[in-house]
Amino acid sequence: MALCASLALATAGCGASAGDGQVTDGDASVAAGSVADADDGTSDASDGQAAEGAGGSGSESSLPDDFPAAVPLPDLPIASAIPLTSAEGWIANFRTDDQPGDMEKAHGMLNDAGFEDSYWGADTGNGLVKNADYEVEVLLSDSEPWISFVVTPVAG
Protein backbone atom coordinates (compact mmCIF):
# COMPACT_ATOMS: atom_id res chain seq x y z
CA MET A 1 0.00 0.00 0.00
CA ALA A 2 2.77 2.43 0.90
CA LEU A 3 4.42 1.64 -2.42
CA CYS A 4 1.33 2.72 -4.35
CA ALA A 5 1.12 5.91 -2.33
CA SER A 6 4.82 6.57 -2.94
CA LEU A 7 4.35 5.98 -6.66
CA ALA A 8 1.39 8.34 -6.85
CA LEU A 9 3.32 11.08 -5.06
CA ALA A 10 6.57 10.49 -6.91
CA THR A 11 5.16 10.38 -10.40
CA ALA A 12 3.64 13.80 -9.96
CA GLY A 13 7.23 15.07 -10.01
CA CYS A 14 8.27 13.21 -13.15
CA GLY A 15 5.54 13.99 -15.62
CA ALA A 16 2.59 11.77 -14.69
CA SER A 17 -0.63 12.69 -13.03
CA ALA A 18 -0.82 11.25 -9.55
CA GLY A 19 -4.04 9.43 -10.32
CA ASP A 20 -3.11 7.44 -13.41
CA GLY A 21 -0.51 5.10 -11.88
CA GLN A 22 1.75 5.40 -14.94
CA VAL A 23 5.31 6.62 -14.83
CA THR A 24 6.16 8.96 -17.67
CA ASP A 25 9.34 10.66 -18.81
CA GLY A 26 10.83 13.40 -16.71
CA ASP A 27 13.84 15.50 -17.52
CA ALA A 28 16.33 12.92 -16.22
CA SER A 29 18.42 11.00 -18.68
CA VAL A 30 20.88 8.23 -17.94
CA ALA A 31 23.38 6.20 -19.85
CA ALA A 32 22.24 2.98 -21.49
CA GLY A 33 23.87 -0.23 -20.35
CA SER A 34 24.28 0.66 -16.67
CA VAL A 35 26.22 -1.84 -14.66
CA ALA A 36 25.75 -2.64 -10.98
CA ASP A 37 28.78 -2.22 -8.74
CA ALA A 38 28.52 -5.11 -6.26
CA ASP A 39 31.29 -3.71 -4.04
CA ASP A 40 29.40 -0.66 -2.80
CA GLY A 41 25.75 -1.56 -3.53
CA THR A 42 25.23 1.14 -6.13
CA SER A 43 24.84 1.25 -9.88
CA ASP A 44 26.61 3.46 -12.36
CA ALA A 45 26.87 4.06 -16.06
CA SER A 46 30.03 2.66 -17.55
CA ASP A 47 29.73 2.41 -21.29
CA GLY A 48 29.54 6.07 -22.27
CA GLN A 49 26.33 5.74 -24.30
CA ALA A 50 23.78 8.41 -23.45
CA ALA A 51 20.03 7.84 -23.60
CA GLU A 52 17.95 10.90 -24.30
CA GLY A 53 15.21 11.92 -21.85
CA ALA A 54 12.25 14.19 -22.46
CA GLY A 55 14.43 17.21 -21.89
CA GLY A 56 16.27 16.30 -25.08
CA SER A 57 19.60 16.97 -23.43
CA GLY A 58 21.17 13.68 -24.46
CA SER A 59 23.71 14.38 -21.73
CA GLU A 60 25.39 11.48 -20.06
CA SER A 61 24.31 10.79 -16.49
CA SER A 62 23.78 7.74 -14.31
CA LEU A 63 21.37 5.95 -12.07
CA PRO A 64 21.12 7.63 -8.69
CA ASP A 65 24.29 6.92 -6.71
CA ASP A 66 22.38 5.01 -4.08
CA PHE A 67 20.35 2.83 -6.48
CA PRO A 68 20.55 -0.68 -4.98
CA ALA A 69 22.71 -3.20 -6.83
CA ALA A 70 20.62 -5.97 -5.22
CA VAL A 71 17.80 -5.16 -7.66
CA PRO A 72 18.47 -6.75 -11.07
CA LEU A 73 17.69 -4.49 -14.02
CA PRO A 74 16.64 -5.45 -17.53
CA ASP A 75 19.19 -5.26 -20.32
CA LEU A 76 17.33 -2.39 -21.98
CA PRO A 77 18.20 1.25 -22.65
CA ILE A 78 17.37 3.47 -19.68
CA ALA A 79 14.96 6.28 -20.59
CA SER A 80 15.18 7.97 -17.17
CA ALA A 81 15.99 7.22 -13.55
CA ILE A 82 15.33 9.39 -10.54
CA PRO A 83 15.16 9.08 -6.78
CA LEU A 84 11.71 9.46 -5.26
CA THR A 85 11.37 12.85 -3.65
CA SER A 86 8.38 12.07 -1.44
CA ALA A 87 9.64 8.77 -0.05
CA GLU A 88 12.77 6.66 0.03
CA GLY A 89 13.16 4.82 -3.25
CA TRP A 90 13.83 5.13 -6.98
CA ILE A 91 12.11 4.97 -10.36
CA ALA A 92 13.91 3.65 -13.45
CA ASN A 93 12.22 3.65 -16.88
CA PHE A 94 13.50 1.37 -19.63
CA ARG A 95 12.77 1.68 -23.35
CA THR A 96 11.29 -1.45 -24.91
CA ASP A 97 9.87 -2.62 -28.20
CA ASP A 98 8.11 -5.56 -26.52
CA GLN A 99 6.41 -4.45 -23.30
CA PRO A 100 4.66 -7.78 -22.48
CA GLY A 101 7.71 -9.87 -23.37
CA ASP A 102 10.14 -7.66 -21.45
CA MET A 103 7.78 -7.57 -18.47
CA GLU A 104 7.83 -11.36 -18.33
CA LYS A 105 11.63 -11.40 -18.71
CA ALA A 106 11.86 -8.91 -15.83
CA HIS A 107 9.55 -11.14 -13.77
CA GLY A 108 11.77 -14.18 -14.32
CA MET A 109 14.93 -12.18 -13.63
CA LEU A 110 13.53 -10.81 -10.37
CA ASN A 111 12.28 -14.25 -9.26
CA ASP A 112 15.69 -15.77 -10.09
CA ALA A 113 17.30 -13.13 -7.86
CA GLY A 114 15.13 -14.22 -4.91
CA PHE A 115 12.26 -11.74 -5.20
CA GLU A 116 8.88 -13.32 -4.47
CA ASP A 117 5.57 -12.32 -6.03
CA SER A 118 3.17 -10.22 -4.02
CA TYR A 119 1.07 -10.05 -7.18
CA TRP A 120 1.83 -10.30 -10.86
CA GLY A 121 -0.61 -9.18 -13.51
CA ALA A 122 1.05 -9.37 -16.91
CA ASP A 123 -2.43 -8.89 -18.40
CA THR A 124 -2.90 -5.68 -16.38
CA GLY A 125 0.62 -4.36 -16.98
CA ASN A 126 1.80 -4.31 -13.39
CA GLY A 127 3.32 -6.54 -10.78
CA LEU A 128 4.93 -6.36 -7.37
CA VAL A 129 7.76 -8.53 -6.10
CA LYS A 130 9.77 -8.25 -2.91
CA ASN A 131 12.61 -9.72 -0.93
CA ALA A 132 13.70 -8.99 2.63
CA ASP A 133 15.15 -5.61 1.61
CA TYR A 134 13.21 -4.19 -1.36
CA GLU A 135 9.85 -4.07 -3.09
CA VAL A 136 9.92 -3.68 -6.87
CA GLU A 137 6.77 -2.63 -8.70
CA VAL A 138 6.99 -3.24 -12.44
CA LEU A 139 4.68 -1.12 -14.61
CA LEU A 140 4.00 -0.79 -18.31
CA SER A 141 3.36 2.70 -19.59
CA ASP A 142 0.24 3.38 -21.65
CA SER A 143 1.78 6.45 -23.25
CA GLU A 144 5.44 5.48 -23.80
CA PRO A 145 7.22 2.31 -24.98
CA TRP A 146 8.55 1.77 -21.46
CA ILE A 147 8.76 -0.70 -18.65
CA SER A 148 9.21 1.01 -15.28
CA PHE A 149 10.72 -0.25 -12.03
CA VAL A 150 9.66 1.50 -8.83
CA VAL A 151 12.01 0.34 -6.08
CA THR A 152 11.38 1.02 -2.41
CA PRO A 153 13.05 -0.34 0.71
CA VAL A 154 10.95 -2.73 2.79
CA ALA A 155 9.96 -1.08 6.06
CA GLY A 156 11.41 -2.99 8.86
PDB file of all heavy atoms in Angstrom, residues 4-38:
ATOM      1  N   CYS A   4       2.255   2.042  -3.435  1.00  0.00           N
ATOM      2  CA  CYS A   4       1.330   2.716  -4.351  1.00  0.00           C
ATOM      3  C   CYS A   4       1.224   4.188  -4.024  1.00  0.00           C
ATOM      4  O   CYS A   4       1.190   5.029  -4.904  1.00  0.00           O
ATOM      5  CB  CYS A   4      -0.043   2.051  -4.302  1.00  0.00           C
ATOM      6  SG  CYS A   4      -0.015   0.375  -4.961  1.00  0.00           S
ATOM      7  N   ALA A   5       1.170   4.513  -2.729  1.00  0.00           N
ATOM      8  CA  ALA A   5       1.115   5.914  -2.328  1.00  0.00           C
ATOM      9  C   ALA A   5       2.394   6.629  -2.728  1.00  0.00           C
ATOM     10  O   ALA A   5       2.353   7.758  -3.208  1.00  0.00           O
ATOM     11  CB  ALA A   5       0.892   6.020  -0.825  1.00  0.00           C
ATOM     12  N   SER A   6       3.541   5.969  -2.544  1.00  0.00           N
ATOM     13  CA  SER A   6       4.818   6.568  -2.940  1.00  0.00           C
ATOM     14  C   SER A   6       4.853   6.810  -4.431  1.00  0.00           C
ATOM     15  O   SER A   6       5.306   7.841  -4.895  1.00  0.00           O
ATOM     16  CB  SER A   6       5.984   5.649  -2.568  1.00  0.00           C
ATOM     17  OG  SER A   6       6.050   5.463  -1.193  1.00  0.00           O
ATOM     18  N   LEU A   7       4.361   5.845  -5.208  1.00  0.00           N
ATOM     19  CA  LEU A   7       4.347   5.985  -6.658  1.00  0.00           C
ATOM     20  C   LEU A   7       3.474   7.148  -7.070  1.00  0.00           C
ATOM     21  O   LEU A   7       3.856   7.956  -7.902  1.00  0.00           O
ATOM     22  CB  LEU A   7       3.864   4.694  -7.314  1.00  0.00           C
ATOM     23  CG  LEU A   7       3.719   4.739  -8.828  1.00  0.00           C
ATOM     24  CD1 LEU A   7       5.065   5.037  -9.472  1.00  0.00           C
ATOM     25  CD2 LEU A   7       3.153   3.446  -9.340  1.00  0.00           C
ATOM     26  N   ALA A   8       2.301   7.259  -6.488  1.00  0.00           N
ATOM     27  CA  ALA A   8       1.386   8.341  -6.846  1.00  0.00           C
ATOM     28  C   ALA A   8       2.015   9.691  -6.556  1.00  0.00           C
ATOM     29  O   ALA A   8       1.937  10.611  -7.365  1.00  0.00           O
ATOM     30  CB  ALA A   8       0.066   8.190  -6.093  1.00  0.00           C
ATOM     31  N   LEU A   9       2.681   9.824  -5.406  1.00  0.00           N
ATOM     32  CA  LEU A   9       3.316  11.077  -5.060  1.00  0.00           C
ATOM     33  C   LEU A   9       4.542  11.341  -5.917  1.00  0.00           C
ATOM     34  O   LEU A   9       4.766  12.447  -6.369  1.00  0.00           O
ATOM     35  CB  LEU A   9       3.707  11.070  -3.585  1.00  0.00           C
ATOM     36  CG  LEU A   9       2.541  11.069  -2.601  1.00  0.00           C
ATOM     37  CD1 LEU A   9       3.056  10.846  -1.184  1.00  0.00           C
ATOM     38  CD2 LEU A   9       1.753  12.357  -2.694  1.00  0.00           C
ATOM     39  N   ALA A  10       5.323  10.319  -6.165  1.00  0.00           N
ATOM     40  CA  ALA A  10       6.569  10.490  -6.906  1.00  0.00           C
ATOM     41  C   ALA A  10       6.342  10.790  -8.365  1.00  0.00           C
ATOM     42  O   ALA A  10       7.058  11.572  -8.961  1.00  0.00           O
ATOM     43  CB  ALA A  10       7.432   9.245  -6.772  1.00  0.00           C
ATOM     44  N   THR A  11       5.349  10.173  -8.967  1.00  0.00           N
ATOM     45  CA  THR A  11       5.159  10.377 -10.397  1.00  0.00           C
ATOM     46  C   THR A  11       4.657  11.768 -10.706  1.00  0.00           C
ATOM     47  O   THR A  11       4.840  12.257 -11.808  1.00  0.00           O
ATOM     48  CB  THR A  11       4.201   9.326 -10.989  1.00  0.00           C
ATOM     49  OG1 THR A  11       2.963   9.374 -10.290  1.00  0.00           O
ATOM     50  CG2 THR A  11       4.807   7.948 -10.948  1.00  0.00           C
ATOM     51  N   ALA A  12       4.064  12.427  -9.734  1.00  0.00           N
ATOM     52  CA  ALA A  12       3.641  13.803  -9.963  1.00  0.00           C
ATOM     53  C   ALA A  12       4.846  14.674 -10.285  1.00  0.00           C
ATOM     54  O   ALA A  12       4.744  15.633 -11.028  1.00  0.00           O
ATOM     55  CB  ALA A  12       2.902  14.339  -8.734  1.00  0.00           C
ATOM     56  N   GLY A  13       6.021  14.310  -9.762  1.00  0.00           N
ATOM     57  CA  GLY A  13       7.230  15.073 -10.012  1.00  0.00           C
ATOM     58  C   GLY A  13       7.957  14.671 -11.270  1.00  0.00           C
ATOM     59  O   GLY A  13       8.939  15.275 -11.634  1.00  0.00           O
ATOM     60  N   CYS A  14       7.518  13.617 -11.961  1.00  0.00           N
ATOM     61  CA  CYS A  14       8.270  13.205 -13.151  1.00  0.00           C
ATOM     62  C   CYS A  14       7.381  13.112 -14.378  1.00  0.00           C
ATOM     63  O   CYS A  14       7.645  12.361 -15.286  1.00  0.00           O
ATOM     64  CB  CYS A  14       9.010  11.889 -12.900  1.00  0.00           C
ATOM     65  SG  CYS A  14       7.975  10.478 -12.562  1.00  0.00           S
ATOM     66  N   GLY A  15       6.294  13.857 -14.391  1.00  0.00           N
ATOM     67  CA  GLY A  15       5.540  13.990 -15.618  1.00  0.00           C
ATOM     68  C   GLY A  15       4.234  13.241 -15.681  1.00  0.00           C
ATOM     69  O   GLY A  15       3.538  13.325 -16.662  1.00  0.00           O
ATOM     70  N   ALA A  16       3.853  12.504 -14.658  1.00  0.00           N
ATOM     71  CA  ALA A  16       2.594  11.774 -14.690  1.00  0.00           C
ATOM     72  C   ALA A  16       1.619  12.429 -13.751  1.00  0.00           C
ATOM     73  O   ALA A  16       1.995  13.090 -12.804  1.00  0.00           O
ATOM     74  CB  ALA A  16       2.802  10.323 -14.252  1.00  0.00           C
ATOM     75  N   SER A  17       0.347  12.238 -14.000  1.00  0.00           N
ATOM     76  CA  SER A  17      -0.630  12.693 -13.033  1.00  0.00           C
ATOM     77  C   SER A  17      -0.664  11.671 -11.913  1.00  0.00           C
ATOM     78  O   SER A  17      -0.505  10.479 -12.135  1.00  0.00           O
ATOM     79  CB  SER A  17      -2.001  12.844 -13.687  1.00  0.00           C
ATOM     80  OG  SER A  17      -2.502  11.588 -14.071  1.00  0.00           O
ATOM     81  N   ALA A  18      -0.884  12.137 -10.704  1.00  0.00           N
ATOM     82  CA  ALA A  18      -0.823  11.246  -9.552  1.00  0.00           C
ATOM     83  C   ALA A  18      -1.901  10.181  -9.588  1.00  0.00           C
ATOM     84  O   ALA A  18      -1.763   9.155  -8.965  1.00  0.00           O
ATOM     85  CB  ALA A  18      -0.944  12.056  -8.255  1.00  0.00           C
ATOM     86  N   GLY A  19      -2.949  10.386 -10.332  1.00  0.00           N
ATOM     87  CA  GLY A  19      -4.039   9.430 -10.316  1.00  0.00           C
ATOM     88  C   GLY A  19      -3.963   8.342 -11.359  1.00  0.00           C
ATOM     89  O   GLY A  19      -4.728   7.394 -11.300  1.00  0.00           O
ATOM     90  N   ASP A  20      -3.043   8.427 -12.342  1.00  0.00           N
ATOM     91  CA  ASP A  20      -3.108   7.436 -13.413  1.00  0.00           C
ATOM     92  C   ASP A  20      -2.210   6.225 -13.193  1.00  0.00           C
ATOM     93  O   ASP A  20      -2.295   5.255 -13.924  1.00  0.00           O
ATOM     94  CB  ASP A  20      -2.839   8.063 -14.779  1.00  0.00           C
ATOM     95  CG  ASP A  20      -1.414   8.530 -14.993  1.00  0.00           C
ATOM     96  OD1 ASP A  20      -0.562   8.318 -14.103  1.00  0.00           O
ATOM     97  OD2 ASP A  20      -1.160   9.100 -16.051  1.00  0.00           O
ATOM     98  N   GLY A  21      -1.329   6.260 -12.197  1.00  0.00           N
ATOM     99  CA  GLY A  21      -0.506   5.099 -11.883  1.00  0.00           C
ATOM    100  C   GLY A  21       0.562   4.794 -12.914  1.00  0.00           C
ATOM    101  O   GLY A  21       1.221   3.780 -12.847  1.00  0.00           O
ATOM    102  N   GLN A  22       0.747   5.636 -13.893  1.00  0.00           N
ATOM    103  CA  GLN A  22       1.746   5.398 -14.935  1.00  0.00           C
ATOM    104  C   GLN A  22       2.916   6.335 -14.747  1.00  0.00           C
ATOM    105  O   GLN A  22       2.742   7.507 -14.458  1.00  0.00           O
ATOM    106  CB  GLN A  22       1.148   5.618 -16.336  1.00  0.00           C
ATOM    107  CG  GLN A  22       0.020   4.684 -16.650  1.00  0.00           C
ATOM    108  CD  GLN A  22       0.470   3.241 -16.680  1.00  0.00           C
ATOM    109  OE1 GLN A  22       1.523   2.915 -17.182  1.00  0.00           O
ATOM    110  NE2 GLN A  22      -0.326   2.360 -16.112  1.00  0.00           N
ATOM    111  N   VAL A  23       4.100   5.826 -14.917  1.00  0.00           N
ATOM    112  CA  VAL A  23       5.312   6.617 -14.830  1.00  0.00           C
ATOM    113  C   VAL A  23       5.638   7.108 -16.222  1.00  0.00           C
ATOM    114  O   VAL A  23       5.695   6.323 -17.155  1.00  0.00           O
ATOM    115  CB  VAL A  23       6.475   5.758 -14.281  1.00  0.00           C
ATOM    116  CG1 VAL A  23       7.744   6.575 -14.204  1.00  0.00           C
ATOM    117  CG2 VAL A  23       6.110   5.194 -12.917  1.00  0.00           C
ATOM    118  N   THR A  24       5.817   8.417 -16.366  1.00  0.00           N
ATOM    119  CA  THR A  24       6.158   8.958 -17.668  1.00  0.00           C
ATOM    120  C   THR A  24       7.483   9.682 -17.582  1.00  0.00           C
ATOM    121  O   THR A  24       8.020   9.896 -16.510  1.00  0.00           O
ATOM    122  CB  THR A  24       5.059   9.914 -18.185  1.00  0.00           C
ATOM    123  OG1 THR A  24       4.935  10.995 -17.267  1.00  0.00           O
ATOM    124  CG2 THR A  24       3.737   9.194 -18.323  1.00  0.00           C
ATOM    125  N   ASP A  25       8.008  10.096 -18.718  1.00  0.00           N
ATOM    126  CA  ASP A  25       9.341  10.664 -18.808  1.00  0.00           C
ATOM    127  C   ASP A  25       9.445  11.993 -18.088  1.00  0.00           C
ATOM    128  O   ASP A  25       8.623  12.863 -18.256  1.00  0.00           O
ATOM    129  CB  ASP A  25       9.688  10.847 -20.281  1.00  0.00           C
ATOM    130  CG  ASP A  25      11.165  11.087 -20.487  1.00  0.00           C
ATOM    131  OD1 ASP A  25      11.975  10.818 -19.598  1.00  0.00           O
ATOM    132  OD2 ASP A  25      11.509  11.535 -21.580  1.00  0.00           O
ATOM    133  N   GLY A  26      10.472  12.138 -17.305  1.00  0.00           N
ATOM    134  CA  GLY A  26      10.826  13.402 -16.709  1.00  0.00           C
ATOM    135  C   GLY A  26      12.013  13.968 -17.463  1.00  0.00           C
ATOM    136  O   GLY A  26      12.317  13.555 -18.568  1.00  0.00           O
ATOM    137  N   ASP A  27      12.701  14.903 -16.854  1.00  0.00           N
ATOM    138  CA  ASP A  27      13.843  15.503 -17.520  1.00  0.00           C
ATOM    139  C   ASP A  27      15.132  14.722 -17.308  1.00  0.00           C
ATOM    140  O   ASP A  27      16.152  15.066 -17.865  1.00  0.00           O
ATOM    141  CB  ASP A  27      14.045  16.939 -17.029  1.00  0.00           C
ATOM    142  CG  ASP A  27      12.959  17.844 -17.559  1.00  0.00           C
ATOM    143  OD1 ASP A  27      12.424  17.541 -18.641  1.00  0.00           O
ATOM    144  OD2 ASP A  27      12.657  18.852 -16.901  1.00  0.00           O
ATOM    145  N   ALA A  28      15.105  13.683 -16.490  1.00  0.00           N
ATOM    146  CA  ALA A  28      16.325  12.923 -16.218  1.00  0.00           C
ATOM    147  C   ALA A  28      16.682  12.055 -17.415  1.00  0.00           C
ATOM    148  O   ALA A  28      15.833  11.511 -18.080  1.00  0.00           O
ATOM    149  CB  ALA A  28      16.126  12.036 -14.982  1.00  0.00           C
ATOM    150  N   SER A  29      17.961  11.951 -17.675  1.00  0.00           N
ATOM    151  CA  SER A  29      18.416  10.998 -18.679  1.00  0.00           C
ATOM    152  C   SER A  29      19.629  10.290 -18.111  1.00  0.00           C
ATOM    153  O   SER A  29      20.394  10.869 -17.356  1.00  0.00           O
ATOM    154  CB  SER A  29      18.758  11.694 -20.000  1.00  0.00           C
ATOM    155  OG  SER A  29      19.810  12.594 -19.824  1.00  0.00           O
ATOM    156  N   VAL A  30      19.765   9.017 -18.451  1.00  0.00           N
ATOM    157  CA  VAL A  30      20.878   8.231 -17.937  1.00  0.00           C
ATOM    158  C   VAL A  30      21.500   7.428 -19.050  1.00  0.00           C
ATOM    159  O   VAL A  30      20.897   7.229 -20.097  1.00  0.00           O
ATOM    160  CB  VAL A  30      20.430   7.291 -16.798  1.00  0.00           C
ATOM    161  CG1 VAL A  30      19.930   8.080 -15.610  1.00  0.00           C
ATOM    162  CG2 VAL A  30      19.377   6.345 -17.266  1.00  0.00           C
ATOM    163  N   ALA A  31      22.673   6.960 -18.823  1.00  0.00           N
ATOM    164  CA  ALA A  31      23.381   6.198 -19.849  1.00  0.00           C
ATOM    165  C   ALA A  31      22.799   4.808 -19.985  1.00  0.00           C
ATOM    166  O   ALA A  31      22.429   4.171 -19.012  1.00  0.00           O
ATOM    167  CB  ALA A  31      24.861   6.111 -19.496  1.00  0.00           C
ATOM    168  N   ALA A  32      22.703   4.341 -21.218  1.00  0.00           N
ATOM    169  CA  ALA A  32      22.242   2.979 -21.486  1.00  0.00           C
ATOM    170  C   ALA A  32      23.319   2.002 -21.058  1.00  0.00           C
ATOM    171  O   ALA A  32      24.503   2.326 -21.053  1.00  0.00           O
ATOM    172  CB  ALA A  32      21.951   2.816 -22.976  1.00  0.00           C
ATOM    173  N   GLY A  33      22.912   0.804 -20.697  1.00  0.00           N
ATOM    174  CA  GLY A  33      23.871  -0.229 -20.352  1.00  0.00           C
ATOM    175  C   GLY A  33      24.491  -0.043 -18.988  1.00  0.00           C
ATOM    176  O   GLY A  33      25.654  -0.338 -18.787  1.00  0.00           O
ATOM    177  N   SER A  34      23.741   0.480 -18.012  1.00  0.00           N
ATOM    178  CA  SER A  34      24.277   0.665 -16.672  1.00  0.00           C
ATOM    179  C   SER A  34      24.668  -0.669 -16.076  1.00  0.00           C
ATOM    180  O   SER A  34      24.059  -1.686 -16.329  1.00  0.00           O
ATOM    181  CB  SER A  34      23.241   1.352 -15.785  1.00  0.00           C
ATOM    182  OG  SER A  34      23.025   2.649 -16.234  1.00  0.00           O
ATOM    183  N   VAL A  35      25.680  -0.625 -15.252  1.00  0.00           N
ATOM    184  CA  VAL A  35      26.218  -1.835 -14.660  1.00  0.00           C
ATOM    185  C   VAL A  35      26.216  -1.672 -13.148  1.00  0.00           C
ATOM    186  O   VAL A  35      26.619  -0.649 -12.627  1.00  0.00           O
ATOM    187  CB  VAL A  35      27.664  -2.080 -15.153  1.00  0.00           C
ATOM    188  CG1 VAL A  35      28.252  -3.307 -14.509  1.00  0.00           C
ATOM    189  CG2 VAL A  35      27.696  -2.184 -16.659  1.00  0.00           C
ATOM    190  N   ALA A  36      25.765  -2.697 -12.443  1.00  0.00           N
ATOM    191  CA  ALA A  36      25.749  -2.638 -10.979  1.00  0.00           C
ATOM    192  C   ALA A  36      27.152  -2.845 -10.438  1.00  0.00           C
ATOM    193  O   ALA A  36      27.906  -3.669 -10.923  1.00  0.00           O
ATOM    194  CB  ALA A  36      24.816  -3.715 -10.438  1.00  0.00           C
ATOM    195  N   ASP A  37      27.499  -2.089  -9.407  1.00  0.00           N
ATOM    196  CA  ASP A  37      28.782  -2.223  -8.739  1.00  0.00           C
ATOM    197  C   ASP A  37      28.531  -2.971  -7.435  1.00  0.00           C
ATOM    198  O   ASP A  37      28.087  -2.400  -6.463  1.00  0.00           O
ATOM    199  CB  ASP A  37      29.365  -0.834  -8.474  1.00  0.00           C
ATOM    200  CG  ASP A  37      30.706  -0.890  -7.774  1.00  0.00           C
ATOM    201  OD1 ASP A  37      31.159  -1.987  -7.392  1.00  0.00           O
ATOM    202  OD2 ASP A  37      31.303   0.179  -7.597  1.00  0.00           O
ATOM    203  N   ALA A  38      28.821  -4.262  -7.413  1.00  0.00           N
ATOM    204  CA  ALA A  38      28.520  -5.111  -6.262  1.00  0.00           C
ATOM    205  C   ALA A  38      29.332  -4.736  -5.030  1.00  0.00           C
ATOM    206  O   ALA A  38      28.955  -5.064  -3.923  1.00  0.00           O
ATOM    207  CB  ALA A  38      28.761  -6.573  -6.617  1.00  0.00           C
TER     208      ALA A  38
END
